[in-house]
Each structure stands twice: as C-alpha cells, then as structure tokens.
Amino acid sequence: MILKSCTLVPLHILQHASLHRALLPSLLLLLHAWWGSCHPQCLDYKPPFGPRQPLAFCKEYSKFGCCDLKKDGEISVKFDTIMENFDYSGYITCGKYIRSILCQECSPYAAHLYDAEDANTPMRILPGLCGDYCSEYWQHCRYTLSLLLEDLGSPPQFANLTAGIEEDRRKFCDFLELKDKQYCYPNVLSNEELNANLGVVSEDPTGCLELCLEEVANGLRNPVAMIHADDGTHRFFVAEQVGYVWVYLANGSRIDRPFLNLTRAVLTSPWSGDERGFLCIALHPRFSTVKKAYVYYSVSVKKEERIRISEFTLSTYDENQLDHSSERTILEVVEPASNHNGGQLLFGHDGYLYIFIGDGGRAGDPFGKFGNSQNKSALLGKVLRIDVDNNDDGAPYSIPSDNPFLRENEARPEVYAYGVRNMWRCSIDRGDPITGQGRGRMFCGDVGQNKYEEVDLIVKGGNYGWRAKEGFSCYDRKLCQNSSLDDILPIFAYAHKLGKSVTGGYIYRGCQMPNLNGLYIFGDFMSGRLMSLKENVTTGEWQYSEICMGRDRTCRFPKLINSYYKYIISFAEDESGELYFLATGVPSATARAGIIYKIVDPSRRAPPGKCSVKPSPVKIKGKLIHFHPKEEFVINKKPTTTPVPTTTKKTTTTTTKKPQRKPIIIIKPPMPTRKTKRKPQPQPPTAATRKTRKTTRKTKKTTLPPTTTATTAARTTRKTTLPPPPPTTTTTATTIKTTLPTTVQMAMATTPATTTATGRPTSWSTVNPVARSTVPSKMYRTESTDSAELTLLRGEATSVKPGYRTTVMTAVSSRIAHTPTAPPTRTTLQSPPSSTSQPLTSPQPPLLPSTPYLNQPQMALTPARYLESPRELTTLRPPNWSQKLTASPYKPQRPLINTTLPKTQEEKLWLVEKQENTREGNKIFKIPRGQDRGPFKRRGGRRLKLGSVRLVSPNGLSDRGRVEIFILGQWGTVCDDLFTIKAGTVVCRQLGFTRALVVRKRAVLGKADSNVRILLDDVECEGGEKSLLECKRARIGKHNCSHSEDVGVICG
C-alpha cells in the first residue's frame, strides 16, 4: 500500500544545528498550517473518488477527482452552450479558458478552489485562479466572464457585476483570484507535494496511517460482539457482557425490546477486567430460513464455573426476538479458573461452527504435564469445529468427517487446531471483491502471557505453540526444544511496550473505502492502540503500520470524529463489509460507557452509486430508540478565534489581520423576519398618503449605519443626491452597493431604508460589518422611449449627461426580457442585523420586505427587477466575439419570496387553522375575539400561512440553515429522522429555490434553543408536495428526538 506524506521543509534544514533553535517555533507553525491543508474534498463535502468509467470531457480527472461520467456530461453541455456565442477564432482563443474553469468542479481539491470546505460558509461562484493565470485570462477573454455566470440563476445581477470589473484587471482578478498559491488553479495541478500520492491513505510524520471514525451507537455496557444476519435487512446485533443482545436497524435506531436477555443466567461481576460473562453470539449462515442463533457465555452450575454454548430459535411472533424458552445446550466445558475463557463463535464458509476456547486460566497453563493447550484430549486451549445442521431430532451436534484428529486415539474429535492460549476475537476473510483471493482465511488474535501478543492464521490441524512458545520466542524451554512440536508461527507478534492484550480484527473487504481493501485492522485492549497488517503477496510477509486518528482538517467531513475510548473490546463488520470496532471508557460489565465506531478513510471514497444499498423492510414490534451521538463532530468544533459581536450595540472589537481572498461583494438584504422588535411598527399608508406619492424622482438623503473600527467607534453620515431625470424619463436609477472585505467592523444600525420602483433598497437598516468601498460607476442607456434614459447600475449616484450611446450588447443582456417599468415607489425595509460579511456567492432568491406597502398596485414585482429593457453595455466588442446573439431567453429567476398574505386576504378573520390531516383528529384552533394574536400576526395585520418554512442561519445566509416550520401560531424545528433530499426539495421550493443541494443532519447548520418546540418528526416526502405537512410524518408535536437532531438544508 502506498502512503502519502506531505513535506514542506527539507530534512537537512531542520537538522541544521544553528537554525534549529532559532527557527523551530516558526517552522512548527508553518508545518502545522501545511499539514492542515492536505485535504482533498469535493463540493458535496465528501472525499474524491476514481470514476467507474473514464471521463470524456474533463479527461485529466479520469483517474481521481469529483466527477463521474454523468457530471462530466453536464459540464460538457454547459461548455457547448457557452461556446455557441463565439465564432471559430473566439472558440480557439477562449475555449481553453472556459473549459479549464468549468472542469474544476471535477478537481479533487474542488472544495478548496470553491471555498466550500465548510457547509456553513458561502461558496465561491467560480473556482479560484492563480494571479498569473487570471491576468492572462483577462487579457484574452475577459468578456466571457458574464457567460460563465449567466446560468447561475440571476443574469441581471451578474451583468451588473461583470460590467464593472471587465475593464479593470485588478478588480477582475480580485474577484477570481485565490490567494493561496498552493491550491489555486492551475498551480494545484503542478504541485508535486499535493499530487505525488493523491488519493491514497495518508501518513503522518511518524508513519501512522490517518483514519477517521463515525459514532454509530453508544450507552452500551461492555459491548463484546456485533454481528449481522446477512438477510438483506442490514440490521446488526450487539451483545453486552451482562447478557443483553440488542437489534439496531440500518438507520441507527435501536429496538427497545432485546433480541435476547440472559442476564439472570450469565456469570459476571461489576469489577473491572472480569473476563466472564456473555462473550459471543453467532447467527446461522442461513438465518432467514433456519432461524437459529448460537451463544457463548459463562455460567455457574453447583458453584462450578463453566463455559456454555447454547442454541436458540427465532420467535414465531417477532423476527427481532429469540424464543427464550427454546434454549438447547450444545456444549459445556468446565473452567478451572475465572480467566482465559476464550469466547468466539464463527460459522466458516464450509457451514460448520467454530468454537475458540481459552486454556483454562491462571498463568502459564499449569494443568497437566504439558498444559491443556498441548493436550488434544482436552477441549481447553483449542479451536473446535462441529456440525449443528440437522440436529433437531438427534444429538445437538455432529463431527465433520474431515476433522483432522477424528481418528486419532485419545484426541477429542471436535478439535480443529490446538496450542492456543486465549484467543480473543477471530474473523474469516470474505476475499478480494474482484479476484476472490484470500477467501475463507481465518485470523485470530491470541493474548500473550508476559512478553508478546500475536496474530495467527488458523489452519486445519495446526499447533500454535502455547505453552512451549509465546509469539516467536520460547516460553517453556523444554517443550520449545522438542523436535516434535512442529508449531505454526504467528504472522505478526508485538512486544508489551505496544500493548498487553491483543484484540483480533478483520480484513477489510467493504465497498466504501477502496484504499483499505486487504488491510487487516486490529487493536489492543490495554493500550488502546489501533494497528494494521498488509500482506505482500509476492513474499507472503505482513507489513505492520500503526493507525492513528486524522487531525481536525483531515477528518473535516460530515459526521466524522477523530477520538475514541481507550479499551478496544472487539471488531466487527456489517452486511456490506464495512468495518467497526467496539470500545469502552470504563471496562466494567455494568458501566454504560461502550461505543461502536465505524472506521472511515477520508482520502478516497467509492464512486457514487457503487455502494448504494436498499435494506429490506423489517417488521417491528415495540418502539424505536433513535440514536443520538455524544462525540462532537470535527466539522462542528468551535474555532479558537474571537467571535464577531452579534448585538446591535456599539462595541470595540480587536481583530487579527489574516491574508484573505477579496472577492467583490454585493450586499443583499437578508431574509425579512416575521416580526422585528428593533423599531416601532410603521403605520399603514392611507389613501391620502398614497396619492401624494409622485412618479418623479426626488432628492433623497441616505444615512449609513455607524461604523466601528478595530480600536474606535465613529458615526458617519453620507448624503447622496440623485440628479433630476430628463422630462420624459419613466424609469428610476438603481444603486447597488459593492464592497470589498476589510478588517474594519461595522456596528449595527436601524436606519430605515428607501427602495426604488424595482423593489431594490438604496440602503437598509442593517449593513453587514464590512467597510464600504466605492466602485467607479458604469452608465448604460436604454431605449424604452425616444428620450435618453439613464440607468445607474453600479457605484454611487452621479450626475451624467444624456446621449451616451453604446454599440454592442453582450450575450447576457440579450437574454434579459423586456418588461415595462412601474412608477417609482418608496418602501421601508427593515432587516435583522448580521454579524459577518457575506462574500459574493451563488445568487440568492430575491427578497421582499415584509411591509404593508408591498401590496400597492404600482409596485413593480416582476422577476425582471434589475433592468426593465435590454441593456447596451459600454464595453467594446472583442474581435473574436460572434455576431450571432443567442436567441433563447435567459432562464427566469427563482420566484419572489413573499412571506405575507395577499391584500385580498388581509381583511379576513383567521378563526380556524386548517385541519392539517385526518391523523390530527377533529381539532379546531380558534383565536378568541379581541385577544392579541401574538405570533400569528405579522406587521400590517398579515398572517403566516400554516406550514410556512424558513431557514435560520447563524451567518444570516438565506440559502442555507436550520429548517423551521410555522404551525399552530409558532415556529418550531424539524427532526432529521427519515428526512431526505426529497423533503429538503419541498422546503427549498417553498422558499423560491429550485431544489435542495444538501440535507445536513445532527444540527450541523445550527441547533435551536431549548425554548423552541420540535414540531415535526419522521418526515418522508416524495418531492412534489407543496408543504412538509403534506408529507408522511408523525403527528404534530410528537417526536422522539432532541435539538441535536435539528435538520438543515442548503438550497440552490
């Protein structure tokens, strides 16, 4: 197996004596940052993969990247659509730039190029380019930027942006450049350190394989075994040392009724390290038809300790419970001591049951002349093999005809192998998924005495040396020198400085992590060390590598953690072959400190769709206990920097300057809230006041919110006067504020804002905490009348002379529908404060202020709210631009989001909430006449519709956040149980988006306060519903979850 290692500083520099002391702190800091950056990741927040079929368009990512053939085809179609605007020379000149930019979605470092490594932060519109490449792109094909942006949902918005930066190389590259020179395109392709062993298991500076974990179960009392039924249900069964066996479904829920309860019969104790108890369970390989289970546990019979192997049959009334009255003893073995009980049951590929029993206890196997392990007439210290099929009417088991000592005098016929001390956890290799190599091999960990732990490969008739040998060394020298010993050496042994109690593991043969195929993963109970072995097929030797937890950056994927409890009790695999281990923080049979972890390789995943499974349905009698992880996800770990203040008070904050990318930012008003307390309610306009509104432009005074720098706070007021229009002007000037992020923090203000006829505010009550910087304005002329009409698209209001004509329209402007304008109207917009600046991201849905003025007929509420006629741009036509304009109109924007009811419904009395479905009973919810309607009421008397939704984001982003729904007069959250991308699409469509990009569970996008109710649970949608209330779900307010399971979505 090839291992990846990132290095930044040559070793000879680090070893230089004079530099070591002086530069060590700086180098360590630099190395820490460098190590943190080795993090390939796709835009879906998952590791890259190798496509199942070679890509046809983005061929450079055919071996490893983030695109499959379907995604590659979508990018190819987008490229062809853009290139329709070019003639042959333009195609040759600009095609390579456009193709390279589009194909970065397929890069294994796509998440970094798009600044999408964190789902809670805005994503870049286009991948980050290196400075030199950006300058080259600007020099040859800068006018193609609008074409790259026009399909992202809001062509007018991006036309405004590109028109202002296409002529200025500095602004152009500020928008596109990624300041990280290691990761920007195209440097990321030529960086030898990043691409040398891309996509293979990474290794830290000490040579440790970096893996991550996912918590799948917790609260267990010394979980000793985990198995599956291999029946298509993908259930797994977990045994506790005290005698319980629990059933877990594929979604992580546990059935509240135990599969088996032997707590009254099992012999164990609460003291730490007791080896007695319920030790193992195995299901018949044809469990779906034979319906039998076999268990291995300690019992006391007349004060004599024994090992008992019993058979149970499945209950005829419940497929998730054994018939406790059906127990049949298969085998009992007397234990002379309370330790070395062994405790493994396995069904081999031959259909026989294998039983692994310890040597009887105490130290050095002191029983008899040679000890129990070397005595084939004793069952202790052996691997047994028996046949339990067809035993209903006869003996509990029979002896396979090919058992190695069947015909040997004084040897027990059940013995399959001998010379073992205390084998703890064995497994059978499934074999390579393609070649089948290794199928049927049996691996065991054998706990040592004083010096060594070993891993053995079990073969028929084999002698594994104990007590003559311990590992590779002699323990009993007389027996060790016996020429007739003929023992089989372990494939690996390690000294007690690494650990003192081996826990055998599995060969990974799953589908989801191809890098781990063929890797034997095991651990040590005492030291908590995870280890691995990899076979050299040519030499037959096994190469050892330690496994350590990846750092925060390596494991920064959804649901992953990078820590675990020390005491590794057992390993397991599920029905798909994915690997798990069971550990506890307190090694006591009664302590609920046990957790089950899934092993995850963050360096590479399987191609999308290859490992998808659809579990068979399970009939459940009883209740489901939903899983709640206790460990903190790496992706949720709090940053160590000082958070930005979120109050509206004037504060002084201290910030640390960090090199950041400076994309051009369009500050958009955030989502209007249902009710705002920062300002008195505005009175609805009367008929008289409506008449006083004129359609002519007036001088306006705009007050900016107070700003606070790093050390002082000062209030500034800017007066902006718009010039009077020509006499025949019928359109209004629209101002868009564009800012660059700086370290200056702006305090929140509540200044009322004014908007133009298009509904776009010239200022808003709360401005993002970022200093404003004025961009030179661009003037465009439209021809809706015979007179010149001036439309101010960018920058501050400036007086200009009419008659400035242009000659060319870009492809974007040709796609903008011609829509008549409405007379100008003034509205008041009030927004909640935002504590962080918002870089330019994918286009957000248009927002409407929740004020009573919006229902006036003269307000322009058409989708073409930016420009009302085709625009002529002031930039000259490049020589390679095609004369042919695209005939098809641009895609319309997302529908406008209006959180208030129409005017026609404003005067209706809301007496009864609609009965939401038959499951809710015959309930009528009335609001008593004359009482305050509280949360039912919106400003202006409007009421929220039953089932309305909103996204609550700590960053004030309108396209992502925690899902909240309005039911029965209050906002509440939705649990993530059964919530899929289809349910997310229902939410996003309610908010005016096209679909849901990602559904985030476990409160990844924010956790609600405890005073917020949980209103919906178990939501299952088909995707076409108009509201979550139309989906299949639990009753309103009935749930079995907490706010740590609040679901969130990212819309697009």
Side-chain angles (χ1 to χ4, degrees), residues 729-1031:
T729 298
T730 60
T731 59
T732 60
T734 302
T735 302
I736 298 177
K737 297 293 182 178
T738 60
T739 63
L740 297 176
T742 67
T743 57
V744 179
Q745 302 295 320
M746 180 171 290
M748 309 304 163
T750 56
T751 305
T754 60
T755 59
T756 64
T758 60
R760 303 183 68 183
T762 56
S763 67
W764 35 81
S765 61
T766 302
V767 182
N768 290 338
V770 60
R772 296 182 179 227
S773 63
T774 304
V775 180
S777 60
K778 284 280 182 183
M779 291 304 188
Y780 302 90
R781 172 175 176 148
T782 60
E783 297 190 36
S784 57
T785 64
D786 296 335
S787 302
E789 297 176 354
L790 299 179
T791 302
L792 181 61
L793 295 180
R794 289 187 63 98
E796 300 184 347
T798 310
S799 299
V800 293
K801 296 180 180 181
Y804 187 90
R805 297 189 60 90
T806 58
T807 58
V808 178
M809 293 195 302
T810 65
V812 172
S813 62
S814 70
R815 287 167 165 76
I816 300 177
H818 185 86
T819 307
T821 61
T825 308
R826 211 178 84 177
T827 64
T828 301
L829 179 65
Q830 187 166 357
S831 306
S834 174
S835 60
T836 56
S837 61
Q838 300 182 9
L840 183 63
T841 62
S842 301
Q844 308 293 334
L847 305 179
L848 291 179
S850 55
T851 66
Y853 307 114
L854 291 181
N855 289 323
Q856 297 180 21
Q858 67 266 29
M859 174 64 70
L861 293 180
T862 61
R865 57 185 295 188
Y866 295 93
L867 290 176
E868 310 304 333
S869 62
R871 291 164 298 177
E872 297 179 341
L873 304 185
T874 59
T875 55
L876 295 179
R877 177 174 60 189
N880 50 25
W881 194 272
S882 174
Q883 297 291 337
K884 167 187 162 184
L885 293 176
T886 304
S888 62
Y890 76 97
K891 299 178 183 178
Q893 297 178 184
R894 303 184 183 102
L896 299 177
I897 301 173
N898 192 350
T899 58
T900 61
L901 295 175
K903 183 68 177 178
T904 57
Q905 300 181 19
E906 182 177 356
E907 297 176 356
K908 293 182 180 179
L909 291 177
W910 187 79
L911 297 178
V912 181
E913 278 279 7
K914 182 180 179 182
Q915 182 176 339
E916 55 94 14
N917 62 29
T918 57
R919 289 181 295 168
E920 293 303 310
N922 193 16
K923 297 181 181 178
I924 297 179
F925 303 97
K926 290 187 176 180
I927 300 178
R929 184 175 299 175
Q931 291 188 6
D932 182 14
R933 299 175 187 269
F936 294 87
K937 190 174 181 182
R938 291 186 58 84
R939 289 195 303 173
R942 295 173 178 80
R943 294 157 180 74
L944 283 173
K945 184 178 180 182
L946 179 69
S948 297
V949 292
R950 67 182 181 186
L951 300 181
V952 180
S953 171
N955 298 327
L957 303 177
S958 60
D959 67 335
R960 66 193 68 196
R962 179 179 68 253
V963 176
E964 292 193 1
I965 187 168
F966 185 78
I967 304 175
L968 308 183
Q970 61 182 321
W971 287 101
T973 62
V974 180
C975 284
D976 59 17
D977 296 326
L978 306 181
F979 199 98
T980 64
I981 196 72
K982 293 182 179 179
T985 298
V986 173
V987 172
C988 292
R989 286 177 178 171
Q990 279 188 264
L991 298 175
F993 295 90
T994 304
R995 61 189 177 93
L997 300 177
V998 181
V999 170
R1000 306 306 306 274
K1001 298 188 178 183
R1002 307 303 179 197
V1004 170
L1005 292 181
K1007 179 179 178 181
D1009 295 334
S1010 58
N1011 58 351
V1012 179
R1013 285 191 62 189
I1014 300 174
L1015 295 180
L1016 293 186
D1017 192 9
D1018 295 332
V1019 179
E1020 294 184 84
C1021 300
E1022 296 297 328
E1025 295 86 351
K1026 296 181 180 179
S1027 166
L1028 294 180
L1029 296 181
E1030 298 181 8
C1031 301

Side-chain angles (χ1 to χ4, degrees), residues 153 171 249 283 307 526 575 583 615 676 678 689 701 748 771 801 806 904:
K171 295 176 184 176
L249 303 184
L283 301 181
I307 292 170
M526 294 301 295
E575 195 167 338
T676 305
R678 291 185 175 81
T689 59
K701 183 180 295 184
M748 309 304 163
K801 296 180 180 181
T806 58
T904 57

Side-chain angles (χ1 to χ4, degrees), residues 499-659:
K500 297 181 179 179
S501 181
V502 66
T503 300
Y506 281 79
I507 293 270
Y508 178 82
R509 299 297 188 186
C511 172
Q512 296 178 8
M513 289 160 283
N515 279 341
L516 302 185
N517 182 39
L519 193 68
Y520 179 74
I521 298 178
F522 63 108
D524 190 275
F525 176 81
M526 294 301 295
S527 68
R529 195 181 300 269
L530 287 170
M531 297 170 277
S532 70
L533 298 173
K534 182 73 173 181
E535 184 183 18
N536 186 323
V537 181
T538 304
T539 63
E541 297 178 352
W542 292 81
Q543 178 185 357
Y544 169 81
S545 295
E546 189 173 339
I547 294 176
C548 58
M549 293 295 96
R551 289 143 302 180
D552 287 354
R553 193 63 173 175
T554 303
C555 297
R556 195 171 179 81
F557 291 98
K559 298 184 180 181
L560 296 192
I561 60 177
N562 57 356
S563 62
Y564 61 94
Y565 283 155
K566 171 184 177 181
Y567 300 102
I568 301 173
I569 301 175
S570 185
F571 285 80
E573 63 178 2
D574 63 17
E575 195 167 338
S576 300
E578 301 306 318
L579 201 55
Y580 303 76
F581 71 90
L582 294 65
T584 183
V586 181
S588 168
T590 58
R592 294 184 178 272
I595 295 183
I596 300 177
Y597 302 97
K598 180 181 179 180
I599 297 175
V600 178
D601 171 27
S603 61
R604 175 191 290 260
R605 59 168 157 153
K610 181 179 180 181
C611 305
S612 58
V613 295
K614 187 176 182 180
S616 302
V618 179
K619 295 181 180 179
I620 300 171
K621 294 185 178 180
K623 298 180 180 179
L624 286 180
I625 300 175
H626 297 292
F627 168 63
H628 302 284
K630 293 183 178 180
E631 299 295 324
E632 184 182 19
F633 299 151
V634 172
I635 200 170
N636 290 344
K637 288 186 177 180
K638 303 298 182 183
T640 57
T641 56
T642 304
V644 180
T646 58
T647 63
T648 59
K649 296 181 180 180
K650 190 164 59 174
T651 58
T652 301
T653 58
T654 302
T655 58
T656 303
K657 281 191 175 182
K658 297 181 180 179

Side-chain angles (χ1 to χ4, degrees), residues 156-261:
Q157 173 183 344
F158 291 122
N160 296 337
L161 170 67
T162 57
I165 64 176
E166 284 176 342
E167 297 298 334
D168 191 320
R169 186 194 61 80
R170 181 183 60 81
K171 295 176 184 176
F172 186 88
C173 288
D174 279 345
F175 174 61
L176 291 178
E177 187 177 354
L178 186 66
K179 300 303 181 182
D180 189 342
K181 296 184 179 180
Q182 296 286 347
Y183 277 96
C184 62
Y185 179 82
N187 289 359
V188 69
L189 296 180
S190 58
N191 190 306
E192 296 181 0
E193 299 291 347
L194 296 179
N195 296 280
N197 295 306
L198 185 62
V200 299
V201 181
S202 61
E203 184 184 86
D204 75 357
T206 65
C208 194
L209 304 184
E210 291 190 311
L211 298 179
C212 306
L213 303 174
E214 180 181 347
E215 181 184 356
V216 297
N218 53 38
L220 295 163
R221 290 161 291 196
N222 268 17
V224 293
M226 169 181 160
I227 60 172
H228 62 86
D230 198 20
D231 60 355
T233 63
H234 290 266
R235 295 174 291 172
F236 56 89
F237 305 80
V238 179
E240 295 178 317
Q241 189 176 354
V242 291
Y244 285 109
V245 180
W246 302 100
V247 179
Y248 287 80
L249 303 184
N251 64 1
S253 301
R254 175 170 68 87
I255 300 177
D256 64 342
R257 300 178 181 180
F259 184 68
L260 180 63
N261 180 2

Side-chain angles (χ1 to χ4, degrees), residues 363-364 421 447-453 466 470 475 495-497 499-500:
R421 182 178 179 273
V447 181
Q449 181 67 50
N450 297 328
K451 294 183 178 180
Y452 299 100
E453 307 295 308
W466 178 251
E470 180 186 10
Y475 179 81
H496 278 188
K497 65 180 181 179
K500 297 181 179 179

